Amino acid sequence: MAESSGGLWRWRGGWKRHIVRQLKQRDRAQKARFLALVQAYNKLLEKSTLENFTAKIHVKSLDNQMGFPPRGTQESTDCALGSVLGYPRMLESLKRSHEGHLVELESINGELAYKIYEMNLLLKAHDATLEEQRGRLACLSVQVSDLEAKHCLLLERVDELSHRNAAMRDGYGALHECYWNQEVELRRAAERGLELLRCLMQTKVEAAEHWNKAIERAKQDRLSKELKKATKAMVSIKVEPEELKADEQKVPHRDAQENGEKLWKRPFRSASAASMTLTRYVDVFKGLFDFRLKRGNSVSSLSEDRYCCIPSCVTACLPSRVSDEQEAHISEINAIKFSPNSCLLATGGTDRLIRLWNVAGGRLENMQTLGGANGSITSVEFDPSGCYLLAATYNNAAQLWKIGDGQFKEILTGHTDKVTAARYRSTRYQAVTGSRDRTVKEWDLSKGACYRTINVFSYCNDIVCCDTFIVSGHHDKTIRFWDSREPRCIQVIPVEGKVTSLSISPDQMHLLSCSRDNALKVIDLRMNNIRQVFRAEGFKCGSDGTKAVFSPDKSYALVGSADGTLYLWNMETGKLETSLPGVHCSSVNAVAWSPSGAYIGSVDCCRKVVLWR
């Protein structure tokens, strides 16, 4: 029975509790809080023996359990003890229950001691965490102090910058006021300059008239003197036999002389001879006077040379085959243009070079390379005489070359963004440029100076010039017309896409526009409305710089597509006349039609130039 109870105790884990209880008792004995209890216990042992103390404890517990009143004297205690001893079994049971209760209290005490030990461990851990937190708090306090010092420094700097900003604002206000004053003075000076220029031109005109009259009077006086001298002198003319036969039909009266020679006697010189002499002298003096006027380089001079566009093409030929193709540049080609006599072809690209090709017998012969450009070439244009070439570049400028020299003559600077188009006006001394800085500038090429700037409200992709107005195509899907006499917009025509190019007909009656909505539009300049719209299946505008042109006789419209195909529309029928696929393998950037109508040129993104015939 004892072995079974011991096994049950071991099975229930009593030995573990016993070990834990022993450890708790040892820990409890080491704690300071139990010192007072141990001392009190020792004092109690000194006063009485362990048996009396135990008997008293048993009697008190028995009295409490049996409900006896407390005993005040020794006699009452003895009586109660005698009565209790009469019940030995009950006393034994009470003793056992009390011992069980003590054992239970001891186990509870051990558990409480273990909990106290755990709480002490937690307390130590919390103390360590607290110390760590205090260290971090000290570090953070130091950082806060540093940040507060920096904050004070920054506040002082902000105050200093505020004072400096206020001073700069005051200075800016003074400079702004000075700028407006200077601008007013500049405007007045410009007005005075224009007035002086008008006075100078009027003076030149009056001086020219005076010199013409003086020269005419001198000529008349000289002519009258020559005529008077001629009337007094006899002129003899020897006539050869062949000339005599021709003169017999013209001169009926002749005098015969000896030796077979015939002389015609005139009392004065021929009027036709005098007229030719007078005309020659007048032309010489007029040429000299015109040269002096040209050296003045005035924009508004009435003596400027004007080149009339004499049409050299009666009927343009539709291209049917490739005449020649070349790899013209080392990178993408953006521009192509024929010279006025159709003998030269100019191409320009992103390699900052312009190549001149001689179009001889349907072949492209590289004649010259024009260098010196500081940016990619966006457009090229020959002057009306074909001696100069004007190009727009991506370095915010336009440059002027003379054909044959190979070096540029002038750089037109003033734009603040890419120059997308450069065109001549009616003379080679005037040009117009358009840029992405939302301005169009008019230039006096003899001075290399801009004399007018027009704000056009949007990116300008292309421009064309007429006699009395300038037309600009824009990124905001509009075409604007500008009066060339004063910078104001006289007409706005909206289109459905970004305008990529403009082309004006030779008679200046129609305008061709290409836009990113994959359509070409023909605008009647007399009515200022869209007359025709050309679309075709497969045609797609490849870039913001795709160029479309009229044929020289204004019978066809030509453009290149993003897939490398050329499309031609008939102006009369409004239908697609033909398409030329299979030669270009990339997007066609620009096309050109020779003024003679015999050739077509096209360039693409893959460095290829193609001549069609």
Side-chain angles (χ1 to χ4, degrees), residues 190-310:
E191 293 176 357
R192 287 197 299 270
L194 291 176
E195 186 65 26
L196 290 174
L197 183 62
R198 284 194 291 268
C199 294
L200 178 62
M201 294 308 304
Q202 185 65 27
T203 304
K204 285 186 176 182
V205 171
E206 293 176 357
E209 292 178 355
H210 174 73
W211 279 103
N212 285 333
K213 291 180 180 179
I215 292 172
E216 190 67 27
R217 285 196 299 269
K219 301 264 190 213
Q220 293 295 336
D221 293 341
R222 189 181 301 171
L223 180 60
S224 61
K225 290 179 181 179
E226 290 179 357
L227 289 175
K228 289 179 181 179
K229 189 185 292 185
T231 56
K232 295 179 181 179
M234 297 295 293
V235 179
S236 62
I237 301 177
K238 183 178 181 180
V239 182
E240 297 297 333
E242 293 181 359
E243 296 178 356
L244 181 61
K245 293 180 182 180
D247 290 339
E248 287 179 354
Q249 300 176 0
K250 298 180 180 179
V251 184
H253 301 287
R254 299 182 301 275
D255 294 332
Q257 290 188 358
E258 296 178 355
N259 299 327
E261 293 182 355
K262 298 181 181 180
L263 301 177
W264 176 31
K265 297 180 180 180
R266 295 183 296 178
F268 55 88
R269 297 178 71 182
S270 171
S272 62
S275 300
M276 290 299 292
T277 303
L278 178 61
T279 304
R280 182 170 60 83
Y281 281 117
V282 170
D283 290 341
V284 171
F285 280 99
K286 188 174 181 181
L288 291 175
F289 183 70
D290 289 344
F291 175 73
R292 290 173 183 173
L293 286 180
K294 286 179 185 177
R295 290 186 64 187
N297 296 330
S298 173
V299 174
S300 60
S301 174
L302 299 176
S303 63
E304 269 189 339
D305 295 337
R306 288 187 172 270
Y307 300 92
C308 299
C309 295
I310 300 175

Side-chain angles (χ1 to χ4, degrees), residues 364-483:
L364 293 174
E365 297 179 0
N366 191 1
M367 187 183 75
Q368 189 180 7
T369 300
L370 304 179
N374 295 324
S376 302
I377 307 298
T378 57
S379 74
V380 292
E381 182 82 5
F382 284 95
D383 75 315
S385 65
C387 299
Y388 291 87
L389 186 70
L390 183 64
T393 64
Y394 267 16
N395 67 332
N396 308 343
Q399 294 185 225
L400 180 67
W401 284 268
K402 185 176 181 180
I403 305 299
D405 288 355
Q407 298 292 330
F408 62 87
K409 298 297 183 182
E410 197 71 52
I411 299 179
L412 308 178
T413 59
H415 287 288
T416 59
D417 205 342
K418 300 174 183 178
V419 179
T420 55
R423 306 290 184 192
Y424 280 99
R425 299 212 58 182
S426 55
T427 73
R428 71 177 181 88
Y429 300 105
Q430 290 178 287
V432 180
T433 58
S435 171
R436 291 191 177 181
D437 62 359
R438 298 179 176 89
T439 62
V440 169
K441 292 182 179 290
E442 298 183 67
W443 303 86
D444 183 357
L445 296 182
S446 58
K447 295 180 180 179
C450 173
Y451 63 89
R452 181 178 294 144
T453 299
I454 304 173
N455 294 315
V456 294
F457 313 121
S458 178
Y459 293 169
C460 180
N461 287 333
D462 201 3
I463 55 174
V464 292
C465 303
C466 298
D467 291 336
T468 58
F469 57 87
I470 300 170
V471 187
S472 57
H474 297 280
H475 196 74
D476 62 353
K477 305 178 183 181
T478 58
I479 299 174
R480 293 183 173 90
F481 295 76
W482 305 90
D483 194 341

Side-chain angles (χ1 to χ4, degrees), residues 24-280:
K24 289 180 181 179
Q25 288 177 359
R26 186 183 65 179
D27 182 72
R28 186 167 60 251
Q30 293 175 357
K31 294 301 178 179
R33 66 173 60 187
F34 297 104
L35 292 176
L37 181 62
V38 172
Q39 292 175 0
Y41 182 74
N42 290 331
K43 289 179 181 180
L44 290 175
L45 288 177
E46 290 175 357
K47 291 181 180 180
S48 62
T49 61
L50 180 60
E51 290 81 2
N52 295 330
F53 181 74
T54 305
K56 290 181 180 180
I57 290 175
H58 285 297
V59 169
K60 288 181 181 179
S61 61
L62 184 59
D63 291 340
N64 291 331
Q65 290 181 3
M66 297 300 294
F68 296 134
R71 305 181 182 187
T73 62
Q74 183 67 29
E75 295 149 348
S76 60
T77 303
D78 294 335
C79 294
L81 183 60
S83 60
V84 171
L85 290 176
Y87 305 96
R89 293 181 181 179
M90 184 179 296
L91 182 61
E92 186 68 23
S93 63
L94 289 174
K95 185 178 179 179
R96 290 177 182 176
S97 64
H98 181 68
E99 288 177 356
H101 184 65
L102 286 176
V103 171
E104 185 178 358
L105 289 176
E106 287 178 359
S107 64
I108 292 172
N109 191 13
E111 292 177 358
L112 290 175
Y114 183 72
K115 288 183 180 180
I116 290 171
Y117 174 72
E118 289 181 348
M119 295 301 291
N120 286 330
L121 293 178
L122 291 175
L123 182 61
K124 289 181 180 179
H126 286 302
D127 289 339
T129 305
L130 181 61
E131 291 296 330
E132 183 182 357
Q133 294 292 335
R134 285 176 180 173
R136 290 182 59 189
L137 181 62
C139 295
L140 293 175
S141 299
V142 174
Q143 293 181 4
V144 167
S145 300
D146 295 339
L147 291 176
E148 287 178 350
K150 290 182 180 179
H151 179 66
C152 294
L153 292 176
L154 291 175
L155 288 177
E156 293 176 357
R157 190 174 178 183
V158 166
D159 294 336
E160 182 182 357
L161 290 176
S162 298
H163 293 304
R164 290 177 59 185
N165 191 15
M168 291 180 67
R169 191 182 299 110
D170 296 337
Y172 172 76
L175 288 175
H176 191 66
E177 185 178 359
C178 180
Y179 165 75
W180 279 112
N181 295 332
Q182 293 292 333
E183 187 176 7
V184 171
E185 293 180 2
L186 177 63
R187 193 178 296 112
R188 292 175 181 173
E191 293 176 357
R192 287 197 299 270
L194 291 176
E195 186 65 26
L196 290 174
L197 183 62
R198 284 194 291 268
C199 294
L200 178 62
M201 294 308 304
Q202 185 65 27
T203 304
K204 285 186 176 182
V205 171
E206 293 176 357
E209 292 178 355
H210 174 73
W211 279 103
N212 285 333
K213 291 180 180 179
I215 292 172
E216 190 67 27
R217 285 196 299 269
K219 301 264 190 213
Q220 293 295 336
D221 293 341
R222 189 181 301 171
L223 180 60
S224 61
K225 290 179 181 179
E226 290 179 357
L227 289 175
K228 289 179 181 179
K229 189 185 292 185
T231 56
K232 295 179 181 179
M234 297 295 293
V235 179
S236 62
I237 301 177
K238 183 178 181 180
V239 182
E240 297 297 333
E242 293 181 359
E243 296 178 356
L244 181 61
K245 293 180 182 180
D247 290 339
E248 287 179 354
Q249 300 176 0
K250 298 180 180 179
V251 184
H253 301 287
R254 299 182 301 275
D255 294 332
Q257 290 188 358
E258 296 178 355
N259 299 327
E261 293 182 355
K262 298 181 181 180
L263 301 177
W264 176 31
K265 297 180 180 180
R266 295 183 296 178
F268 55 88
R269 297 178 71 182
S270 171
S272 62
S275 300
M276 290 299 292
T277 303
L278 178 61
T279 304
R280 182 170 60 83

